[in-house]
Amino acid sequence: MFLVIALSLVSCEDKQIHEFSMQAKIGDRLYTSTEASASIAENGRMVIQGLTWDETLTLHLSSLKEGNFNLGEGTSNSAIFEDRDGNIYRTDPNGTG
């Protein structure tokens, strides 16, 4: 009986729940959004946007398929990040930067 009670007490430890919608490595830090939305643009591309109260990360993807998408040379996928100071960073929409 003591073993069952001890196991019950051990299994009732506080657990931290991390609720986020989108994560990305930006520079040397981990960006974590609290909200996200997705839509399909008129050209058929997927637009995914992650938001915090002061930053925005927007991804423009060429496909609706599940998987990994490269942002860089030879792809039509792009990203736009606006930081808390209003600075905007973007990859080239043609995938060259």
Side-chain angles (χ1 to χ4, degrees):
M1 183 71 164
F2 175 73
L3 181 59
V4 172
I5 294 171
L7 289 175
S8 295
L9 292 175
V10 171
S11 66
C12 292
E13 293 178 18
D14 289 336
K15 295 184 181 174
Q16 197 171 28
I17 298 172
H18 299 282
E19 293 183 15
F20 57 86
S21 299
M22 178 187 267
Q23 283 187 329
K25 176 99 169 147
I26 298 177
D28 60 351
R29 71 181 185 91
L30 182 64
Y31 168 81
T32 303
S33 72
T34 54
E35 297 178 42
S37 65
S39 62
I40 300 172
E42 288 182 21
N43 60 5
R45 294 173 53 90
M46 175 69 86
V47 178
I48 303 171
Q49 188 171 58
L51 305 163
T52 67
W53 66 277
D54 61 351
E55 296 178 315
T56 304
L57 175 62
T58 305
L59 302 176
H60 296 268
L61 305 175
S62 60
S63 173
L64 298 177
K65 295 179 184 175
E66 182 178 335
N68 297 321
F69 295 88
N70 293 322
L71 302 171
E73 190 173 345
T75 72
S76 60
N77 303 316
S78 63
I80 301 169
F81 176 69
E82 183 174 355
D83 70 14
R84 60 184 57 119
D85 297 321
N87 299 309
I88 298 175
Y89 305 90
R90 66 181 74 223
T91 61
D92 186 311
N94 297 317
T96 60

